[in-house]
Amino acid sequence: MWTAIVCTCQNGENANWFRRELQIRKQKGLISADTAVLAVGDPKPNIGSGSAALNAFLCVAEHLTAQAGQTVVSGDVLYNARILVLLLGTTFPFSPCGHAFMPYPSEEEHKADNGWGLEDTEVKMNMDRLLEMLSKLCAETPPGVWIASTDMILKTNGVIEPMDLTGLENSIGVLTVLANREHAKHHGVCRVTDTGEFAQIMYKPHEQVDAFVREEDGKYVMLTGIAYLSPQVAEVMMDFHAKPPLDACTYVGLDNGAQPLSLSLFFDIFQCLTTEISKEDFICGKYKSSSILYPLDTPTSVLETARSLLWKALRGKKMMCLLLRGVEHNYLQNTASDILRRYSCSTSRNNGSVVINSITDEGVCTGNNSVIINSELKSMVHVGDNCFISGLTSLQLDFLEIQTLGQKTLVPDNMAMQEIRVSVWTGRNRTPLSMFVMYGVQDNHDTVFTDTECTGTFCNKSWKLFFERTGIQPFEIWPPSISKRSRCLFNAKLYPVSFMGQDFGVREVFWLTGIISDHEALQRWRASWRISLADIMSCVDCKAEFVMMRDLSFKSQRKKMVQALQTSKVVCFLPFFKDCLFGGKENEILATLDEVVEQMDDPLVISRVYACIADVLGFMVGEGGGIRAGPAANLAWRNAFTLLERREFKAATKALAAERANWMTGGPDRIIRASRHYERAGHILTRLGVATALEFKRSRETEVPSIGQVVMVTAPARIDIAGAWSDTPPQTYEWGGVVLTVAINVEGQHPIRTRVKRIPEFKLVLVLGDTLTLECTELSDLADYSQPHAPGALLKAAFVCTEIVQFSSKLSLAEQLQTKYGSGFWLQAEANLPQGSGLGTSSILGGTILGALWRAIGQEHTHDSLVHVILYLEQLMTTGGGWQDQCGGLYGGVKLSSTERGLPVKITTELIDTPPDFLEKLNEHLLLIYTGKTRLARNLLQDVVRNWHTREPGIVQTMGDLVDNAKCSKKAFLEGDLAEIGKCLNRAQQAKLKMAPGSMPKSVTGFVKKIDHLIHGYCFCGAGGGGFLASILKEPANREKVQEIISNNADLNGFVIYKAGLDVNGITYSYSLS
């Protein structure tokens, strides 16, 4: 979307670290990969938003010019570019790296339908929220330059619609919001003409604010700090770098020896575009100018010359008001109480406290309505009520003597405490230090102190009380270089850095604030080197701050991840894993995941741990190692897999980790192959979980057919109406599944048939349809039963599943057959349906094979028993299907099948009693169309299971929707409501597309549009992506109309309507002599 994003920063020494933050967001996908990201240091600190923006224009234009292969900077590069300039603004004591990097919690708590909490593990900065909003607002805007301040928060009350900037050619558009009087009088407000142009703007109008009230609603139009400049205007402003004295707003002027020129973007540059200001008033500065906001000793003549140039260049261009409806503006002010108020509206603990990107041990007690950000509190400490804690990671509290209920009091009520990492000059070198500062949450950092009125506070008490308690004098914290009109908490040199070569720490700060008594503290304080909060903010070590925040983010999210895994909580870890890779923490997170298994013996937890490790390995190589799907049976991993099969989970995990370490040194291709083997390990655990379904295997002995006697088993196909994918392991036992299916005959008969008979030869003869016959005389002939594409894989797997053949036996195949059955077996299985039909063919065919084989050896299994065993059969084949196919085909009629969360896997099936004559009516309206598009469900299944393991919020929500829709479809069948059944089909189809994106062929999309007016609804059968399409006709006569559409459209060649009818019998058995 953006051609370039550039952020400004006051201290150019930190520019590389701000650029790195933007680069990380590119890597995480928050910024487009083809967007250029830059960070530009302001020409001088406190240069003003206008000067910072002009300097950024020039720098980004130079960058784009160089990209275009040109050597002379030109405004032409602006005409096809969409540029975003982020103004990081002035210092912000509560966030050492600036307003943009203030972390905020998520405002929304997602809850899944079944009550499991669905959490977002990623901490968002204010800049991230702003980028997200602007990307939506500006999605359809033309080329140009957007400028955005980062010192405010914009909150929306609804969906953000893209902006329409039609008519803003050669103009400026300024985003505004509506505000009440109290809020407006402390910020920038404006008056707008009937045509939408700005008539007047004013900064902090205070009591003059009433001149800006809107008559229609009593609201005030307030500036947001965001503006759009058309390419024509942006080019004009970029050219200021070559026009003295405006060139002094940019590095060009300074490099040419000029003194820096400070300008405000809105209240200097844009002021000349307001319709009510005259040229004389503008040039002489009769407006709220930046000379107050950004004081620099600039001669009046220079300012007037600069304003004259601004007027000449910009006057006559339009500045239009772009009002944002449903958006709330919050400016981040310089009091901790304001920060606490902002956070109180966010997600909080029961006592109203907020903990973000922090680690607090169990012994830490947090008071009511307190905020802790970017901190690690390990000691047994107590944080009082209404406190603000930031950056505390290296506290040493052994000296504290105050005890409160056995806990050390860290911060009393209504206090703020911060640890700020700085880099200060000590001699010829820079020294990294951690400065501890404390003040009161009610203290305003900018309130001026005067000797006569003694205004202002420190630690929520007057300066007078502070001086009396400590013995410190005003001149000791405000030296003569600070004028009396400027003395405030922000520039008070309160905080000692070092004394006699020793660094000061928390003890001295606690003495300053009155938490502890120390008779020698005043003497040490006076002899120390002291600095102010302003000094601290001017030498912030942004690198150290960013490293600290990312390290804390890793530790806190790692802790949450472990807790979520251990409690089977639904949390998506993908953002966290990506963060780990960007921070070089991949080995640490892999080791942590291994440790989780050391503490747990739950296969459900361990299975997800393996999936997480596979994800981390996959992220490590990105696209450089190939695709995630692929073979995973390398002999080097066999030992670990064998341990898993034996349920020796801890030993298996150690073996997997050891082999992983070997493969991680071999390049991206080996790492992605290691990822596949971890997925294989997860599949083994899924198979073990599914194997618990065998607990519900029930059979009774029956007469063994004679040699040559044929057992014939037939079954209908099935249509899944709603709930498909919720039946698939592991989600069916990790979440719980519900599916409604109907059994159907196709072209008037059961399409699925199996025949088996005992033969005198001790071998297996497998007949596939009418063409291919396989003879198995050795166990090795059946060894490929787990490879779905191998000839006869399903038939071979059935012999293993029924234990007619056992690979663990020391006997040969012939010996096993002779010893146990006195015969071999001839087995024929066929389905009169296209491959990949989506009608449950493979599973139902597996059911007929199992049923036939068991009858052939004298066992009779119930429908319920078959349903459970087929689930295990498909795990043996590694196709990993669910249970809805066999439920739909083995039971006749309409039925609702379900599983509960947890193991063992138990499937219950409820037959649905429909109204009289409804089934006949359904047959008349049921339309079954083969699309000619084939697919193997396993291909889609692997992706869906992989996505499920990530607990991606969209997948989890869709899983809940699937289950709800199945329950709704039951009601529709009970009421005989065809229209509602059609709606259920539509919802099922949309859910399938969410579970397996891109599975809808384009030809089918076009076909559905052509018949939409003729049907109540439709859905691909089975996994989706091909095969049969089931729909409910509005009228039976519409069948011919659909056929006509197919016949008259060449692009629908291959589409065939099949005759389908509801089958009430389900699986059937018969015997014959041939």
Side-chain angles (χ1 to χ4, degrees):
M1 159 165 188
W2 300 108
T3 307
I5 297 177
V6 54
C7 71
T8 68
C9 55
Q10 288 207 41
N11 188 344
E13 294 179 358
N14 288 318
N16 281 337
W17 301 110
F18 289 118
R19 182 181 181 277
R20 185 174 182 273
E21 288 299 306
L22 292 175
Q23 192 67 38
I24 287 174
R25 283 156 176 78
K26 278 184 66 173
Q27 294 173 326
K28 292 167 65 174
L30 302 176
I31 297 175
S32 175
D34 56 0
T35 299
V37 293
L38 297 86
V40 178
D42 294 341
K44 287 289 184 180
N46 297 322
I47 196 70
S49 59
S51 299
L54 292 178
N55 189 61
F57 285 179
L58 175 60
C59 292
V60 75
E62 288 178 339
H63 178 86
L64 295 178
T65 298
Q67 272 193 337
Q70 301 173 11
T71 56
V72 179
V73 64
S74 169
D76 293 344
V77 296
L78 302 175
Y79 283 80
N80 293 313
R82 304 172 82 214
I83 298 167
L84 174 62
V85 178
L86 297 173
L87 302 176
L88 299 194
T90 57
T91 56
F92 188 54
F94 312 104
S95 178
C97 294
H99 301 81
F101 297 97
M102 190 76 174
Y104 285 91
S106 175
E107 296 173 13
E108 298 180 358
E109 286 188 347
H110 303 281
K111 294 294 181 181
D113 289 342
N114 64 356
W116 282 17
L118 188 63
E119 296 183 350
D120 181 3
T121 63
E122 191 171 18
V123 176
K124 289 187 177 181
M125 306 291 186
N126 189 39
M127 182 176 70
D128 299 321
R129 291 171 171 239
L130 184 60
L131 283 172
E132 184 178 353
M133 172 177 281
L134 289 174
S135 295
K136 294 177 181 178
L137 279 174
C138 309
E140 300 175 5
T141 56
V145 177
W146 284 86
I147 308 172
S149 169
T150 60
D151 59 2
M152 48 72 192
I153 303 172
L154 293 179
K155 297 173 65 176
T156 62
N157 299 325
V159 178
I160 301 174
E161 297 292 340
M163 298 197 67
D164 181 5
L165 299 185
T166 303
L168 282 187
E169 297 80 7
N170 199 25
S171 301
I172 295 173
V174 177
L175 273 59
T176 61
V177 295
L178 295 179
N180 59 36
R181 185 179 187 277
E182 185 62 28
H183 190 62
K185 70 181 184 180
H186 299 294
H187 304 288
V189 295
C190 58
R191 187 164 55 250
V192 182
T193 68
D194 293 340
T195 60
E197 292 186 71
F198 282 84
Q200 183 181 4
I201 57 177
M202 182 177 287
Y203 180 65
K204 292 187 177 180
H206 298 294
E207 298 311 316
Q208 299 179 54
V209 71
D210 292 331
F212 295 86
V213 68
R214 290 173 21 131
E215 294 182 359
E216 59 266 38
D217 56 12
K219 296 287 186 179
Y220 298 80
V221 180
M222 196 171 75
L223 303 174
T224 63
I226 302 174
Y228 164 79
L229 281 61
S230 69
Q232 297 87 347
V233 175
E235 182 180 19
V236 170
M237 294 178 63
M238 187 204 73
D239 288 342
F240 290 159
H241 79 277
K243 297 180 178 181
L246 291 176
D247 65 332
C249 296
T250 71
Y251 81 87
V252 171
L254 271 65
D255 287 355
N256 283 327
Q259 291 295 317
L261 178 63
S262 171
L263 293 177
S264 164
L265 181 65
F266 286 90
F267 305 108
D268 278 331
I269 299 176
F270 288 173
Q271 188 72 248
C272 70
L273 299 172
T274 58
T275 60
E276 293 185 0
I277 196 168
S278 67
K279 180 178 181 180
E280 292 74 18
D281 287 346
F282 177 74
I283 291 176
C284 69
K286 287 187 177 180
Y287 60 94
K288 203 71 172 180
S289 75
S290 65
S291 59
I292 297 175
L293 296 173
Y294 312 103
L296 290 176
D297 296 331
T298 306
T300 301
S301 60
V302 173
L303 289 173
E304 290 183 349
T305 302
R307 294 175 190 137
S308 296
L309 285 174
L310 290 172
W311 184 275
K312 182 179 179 180
L314 296 176
R315 189 64 178 182
K317 301 184 187 301
K318 291 185 177 181
M319 184 167 66
M320 307 299 295
C321 175
L322 306 175
L323 183 61
L324 296 176
R325 302 282 183 179
V327 175
E328 177 186 346
H329 174 279
N330 289 289
Y331 184 80
L332 301 175
Q333 301 183 30
N334 278 349
T335 61
S337 59
D338 182 68
I339 301 298
L340 295 180
R341 182 170 59 85
R342 304 294 180 207
Y343 277 98
S344 66
C345 302
S346 306
T347 304
S348 62
R349 296 182 174 181
N350 293 333
N351 65 350
S353 64
V354 178
V355 178
I356 304 174
N357 198 39
S358 299
I359 300 173
T360 57
D361 288 351
E362 293 182 1
V364 174
C365 179
T366 306
N368 297 326
N369 303 312
S370 290
V371 172
I372 301 175
I373 62 174
N374 297 331
S375 297
E376 184 173 9
L377 305 180
K378 297 181 178 179
S379 305
M380 297 287 289
V381 297
H382 175 83
V383 176
D385 296 341
N386 303 309
C387 289
F388 175 74
I389 307 295
S390 173
L392 298 188
T393 61
S394 54
L395 286 174
Q396 299 295 330
L397 302 174
D398 296 338
F399 66 88
L400 282 178
E401 299 175 355
I402 301 174
Q403 298 289 318
T404 303
L405 299 178
Q407 294 177 321
K408 296 176 181 178
T409 299
L410 172 59
V411 183
D413 295 349
N414 303 304
M415 291 293 291
M417 184 174 187
Q418 294 177 256
E419 179 183 350
I420 302 174
R421 288 137 200 88
V422 298
S423 179
V424 298
W425 286 103
T426 54
R428 296 182 179 181
N429 301 313
R430 278 193 175 276
T431 302
L433 294 174
S434 285
M435 293 296 301
F436 293 93
V437 298
M438 290 188 73
Y439 45 84
V441 297
Q442 302 298 332
D443 296 341
N444 188 314
H445 295 180
D446 301 324
T447 299
V448 175
F449 165 82
T450 61
D451 293 321
T452 55
E453 300 179 7
C454 201
T455 54
T457 61
F458 179 58
C459 297
N460 306 312
K461 297 178 181 179
S462 70
W463 281 109
K464 179 181 179 181
L465 292 176
F466 168 76
F467 294 135
E468 291 175 351
R469 175 176 58 80
T470 61
I472 294 173
Q473 298 298 314
F475 68 85
E476 293 182 282
I477 60 175
W478 291 300
S481 59
I482 300 175
S483 68
K484 289 188 176 183
R485 293 179 300 175
S486 303
R487 296 186 299 184
C488 62
L489 173 58
F490 191 57
N491 57 26
K493 295 185 180 296
L494 285 165
Y495 304 105
V497 179
S498 63
F499 169 71
M500 298 294 290
Q502 295 183 351
D503 293 342
F504 275 79
V506 181
R507 184 185 187 97
E508 287 71 26
V509 176
F510 276 26
W511 168 77
L512 273 176
T513 55
I515 296 177
I516 64 172
S517 299
D518 187 337
H519 300 297
E520 299 177 357
L522 178 59
Q523 182 180 356
R524 294 201 313 272
W525 181 87
R526 282 177 169 158
S528 69
W529 169 31
R530 304 183 303 277
I531 60 178
S532 66
L533 190 54
D535 297 327
I536 293 172
M537 298 308 298
S538 69
C539 56
V540 169
D541 187 343
C542 287
K543 175 185 177 181
E545 287 288 329
F546 285 133
V547 168
M548 175 273 296
M549 286 189 282
R550 295 207 174 279
D551 187 54
L552 271 179
S553 177
F554 171 74
K555 289 180 180 178
S556 62
Q557 301 306 332
R558 178 176 61 181
K559 182 178 180 181
K560 291 180 181 179
M561 178 197 71
V562 171
Q563 293 172 343
L565 287 170
Q566 291 175 339
T567 58
S568 298
K569 201 169 186 180
V570 181
V571 182
C572 180
F573 301 132
L574 296 188
F576 173 49
F577 292 158
K578 292 179 182 178
D579 276 348
C580 290
L581 298 182
F582 301 144
K585 302 284 189 180
E586 57 269 19
N587 289 326
E588 289 184 55
I589 198 61
L590 288 171
T592 299
L593 290 167
D594 292 336
E595 290 169 5
V596 171
V597 180
E598 285 293 317
Q599 303 166 11
M600 302 290 292
D601 202 31
D602 185 344
L604 273 65
V605 173
I606 298 171
S607 176
R608 189 167 181 214
V609 168
Y610 290 166
C612 288
I613 293 176
D615 283 334
V616 173
L617 295 174
F619 283 143
M620 285 176 63
V621 299
E623 298 178 356
I627 59 175
R628 287 282 293 274
N634 190 286
L635 295 180
W637 299 79
R638 176 180 289 181
N639 177 52
F641 294 158
T642 301
L643 291 170
L644 280 178
E645 298 282 4
R646 296 174 183 169
R647 296 181 175 270
E648 297 179 27
F649 299 138
K650 294 180 180 179
T653 301
K654 289 181 179 179
L656 288 168
E659 194 59 41
R660 180 184 74 217
N662 295 333
W663 286 52
M664 286 179 65
T665 60
D669 60 319
R670 284 176 62 85
I671 294 175
I672 202 68
R673 289 164 60 198
S675 173
R676 294 170 187 162
H677 283 80
Y678 266 94
E679 286 194 351
R680 168 76 183 278
H683 295 161
I684 292 173
L685 290 175
T686 299
R687 187 172 74 248
L688 294 177
V690 170
T692 62
L694 296 179
E695 294 182 22
F696 305 101
K697 175 182 174 182
R698 301 287 186 271
S699 66
R700 66 180 183 87
E701 292 186 2
T702 186
E703 184 178 353
V704 177
S706 59
I707 291 179
Q709 187 177 15
V710 176
V711 180
M712 168 79 82
V713 184
T714 67
R718 70 92 188 91
I719 295 174
D720 55 299
I721 302 297
W725 282 124
S726 72
D727 64 304
T728 306
Q731 50 261 43
T732 191
Y733 56 77
E734 292 181 348
W735 181 270
V738 182
V739 185
L740 189 137
T741 56
V742 296
I744 60 166
N745 54 56
V746 180
E747 298 298 330
Q749 61 180 354
H750 281 183
I752 298 167
R753 293 185 293 274
T754 295
R755 301 169 69 215
V756 66
K757 61 182 177 181
R758 296 169 61 218
I759 57 176
E761 298 85 4
F762 302 126
K763 63 180 180 179
L764 305 179
V765 180
L766 311 180
V767 182
L768 310 179
D770 298 323
T771 57
L772 180 63
T773 299
L774 302 175
E775 288 195 5
C776 301
T777 58
E778 305 288 341
L779 284 175
S780 59
D781 295 333
L782 288 88
D784 57 356
Y785 70 86
S786 62
Q787 302 174 27
H789 296 288
L794 176 60
L795 285 69
K796 296 173 183 178
F799 278 102
V800 176
C801 185
T802 56
E803 297 183 340
I804 292 175
V805 175
Q806 293 181 309
F807 277 88
S808 59
S809 173
K810 295 181 180 180
L811 301 178
S812 67
L813 174 62
E815 290 170 337
Q816 290 186 46
L817 295 174
Q818 182 180 15
T819 302
K820 291 196 293 184
Y821 309 109
S823 70
F825 295 91
W826 175 91
L827 173 63
Q828 180 186 46
E830 58 183 348
N832 191 22
L833 291 169
Q835 184 181 10
S837 67
L839 296 181
T841 307
S842 177
S843 299
I844 300 171
L845 184 61
T848 62
I849 294 171
L850 293 176
L853 287 176
W854 270 319
R855 290 291 179 99
I857 62 174
Q859 293 183 22
E860 182 178 311
H861 282 251
T862 63
H863 291 6
D864 183 69
S865 179
L866 279 176
V867 162
H868 285 85
V869 178
I870 294 169
L871 192 62
Y872 180 66
L873 169 66
E874 294 200 322
Q875 290 296 321
L876 289 178
M877 292 183 62
T878 71
T879 53
W883 41 256
Q884 58 115 340
D885 296 343
Q886 54 263 39
C887 291
L890 302 187
Y891 291 94
V894 183
K895 76 288 300 183
L896 187 77
S897 304
S898 62
T899 54
E900 297 293 331
R901 184 187 305 141
L903 297 176
V905 178
K906 182 179 182 180
I907 307 160
T908 59
T909 298
E910 172 192 2
L911 299 179
I912 307 300
D913 291 327
T914 57
D917 303 324
F918 173 71
L919 297 185
E920 182 178 348
K921 181 179 179 182
L922 178 62
N923 285 339
E924 294 174 351
H925 290 259
L926 179 62
L927 179 67
L928 187 66
I929 303 172
Y930 182 62
T931 64
K933 310 295 181 182
T934 61
R935 90 286 176 272
L936 181 64
R938 182 174 184 244
N939 297 339
L940 293 175
L941 177 65
Q942 287 178 334
D943 290 337
V944 170
V945 172
R946 186 178 296 123
N947 291 339
W948 165 253
H949 277 307
T950 68
R951 300 304 192 269
E952 193 275 325
I955 292 292
V956 175
Q957 181 62 51
T958 301
M959 192 65 64
D961 294 341
L962 288 167
V963 170
D964 290 344
N965 191 36
K967 295 175 181 177
C968 289
S969 65
K970 172 185 174 181
K971 182 174 181 292
F973 272 94
L974 288 173
E975 296 176 354
D977 189 339
L978 288 175
E980 187 60 32
I981 293 173
K983 292 179 182 178
C984 291
L985 283 172
N986 283 335
R987 288 194 291 267
Q989 176 61 26
Q990 293 306 309
K992 288 180 182 181
L993 290 177
K994 291 178 181 178
M995 295 296 287
S999 61
M1000 182 75 158
K1002 291 183 179 180
S1003 59
V1004 178
T1005 301
F1007 171 66
V1008 170
K1009 290 180 179 178
K1010 290 182 175 69
I1011 68 169
D1012 184 62
H1013 63 291
L1014 302 174
I1015 61 176
H1016 287 301
Y1018 80 98
C1019 184
F1020 260 123
C1021 298
F1028 278 90
L1029 193 78
S1031 61
I1032 303 296
L1033 295 166
K1034 292 181 179 179
E1035 299 293 339
N1038 289 346
R1039 192 181 308 272
E1040 286 71 27
K1041 296 179 181 179
V1042 174
Q1043 180 61 64
E1044 185 178 350
I1045 291 172
I1046 293 174
S1047 301
N1048 294 336
N1049 286 270
D1051 58 333
L1052 299 180
N1053 184 32
F1055 281 59
V1056 179
I1057 296 178
Y1058 277 65
K1059 180 182 177 182
L1062 208 70
D1063 182 272
V1064 297
N1065 297 315
I1067 189 171
T1068 62
Y1069 297 85
S1070 62
Y1071 297 84
S1072 67
L1073 295 178
S1074 61

